[in-house]
């Protein structure tokens, strides 16, 4: 199994509860929408970094590795301090997502 197939499997298993699966991605960066989620992504050497937003919840920045690990890098949630949201937004933009 190649790196992208392993990342797809990890993504699909992790997000099954959200009714989301990773489509076939031919570009190294891009965007897709699925079940209310807007996902911007970019591939690293052995991971996929994705910024997921949902119209009814919050924003989340994930890193999904070829070895099956899924790391929630950060998230905005209702009730957090404004400074946290601002720091999160800055980090998302620094990583190259619109945010």
């Amino acid at each position: 199994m190649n790196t992208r197939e392993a990342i797809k499997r990890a993504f699909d298993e992790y997000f099954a509860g959200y009714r989301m699966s990773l489509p076939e991605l031919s570009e190294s960066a891009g965007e897709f929408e699925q079940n209310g989620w807007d996902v911007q992504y970019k591939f690293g050497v052995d991971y996929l970094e994705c910024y997921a937003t949902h119209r009814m919840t919050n924003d989340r920045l994930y890193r999904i590795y070829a070895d099956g690990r899924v790391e929630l890098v950060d998230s905005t949630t209702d009730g957090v301090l404004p400074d946290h949201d601002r720091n999160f937004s800055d980090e998302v933009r620094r990583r190259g997502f619109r945010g």
Side-chain angles (χ1 to χ4, degrees):
M1 173 181 313
N2 70 38
T3 300
R4 286 195 182 197
E5 289 170 344
I7 289 170
K8 179 177 176 23
R9 184 181 342 171
F11 184 102
D12 292 353
E13 288 174 5
Y14 186 85
F15 289 102
Y18 297 100
R19 297 184 344 249
M20 227 182 6
S21 62
L22 193 64
E24 188 64 38
L25 304 175
S26 58
E27 303 293 323
S28 62
E31 184 174 355
F32 65 91
E33 292 181 25
Q34 205 172 76
N35 290 319
W37 289 94
D38 179 35
V39 179
Q40 297 173 50
Y41 67 89
K42 62 182 178 179
F43 279 98
V45 174
D46 64 346
Y47 64 88
L48 174 76
E49 197 163 70
C50 62
Y51 173 61
T53 61
H54 191 279
R55 65 179 181 259
M56 301 193 56
T57 59
N58 57 10
D59 300 6
R60 298 173 186 151
L61 182 61
Y62 292 97
R63 188 172 270 192
I64 300 143
Y65 295 89
D67 68 5
R69 288 178 295 139
V70 177
E71 175 184 300
L72 175 62
V73 176
D74 206 349
S75 175
T76 60
T77 55
D78 292 336
V80 297
L81 298 173
D83 285 346
H84 177 266
D85 286 343
R86 190 172 22 262
N87 292 340
F88 175 68
S89 296
D90 291 346
E91 177 65 13
V92 165
R93 279 197 229 31
R94 186 188 70 72
R95 290 175 183 254
F97 299 110
R98 284 184 290 171

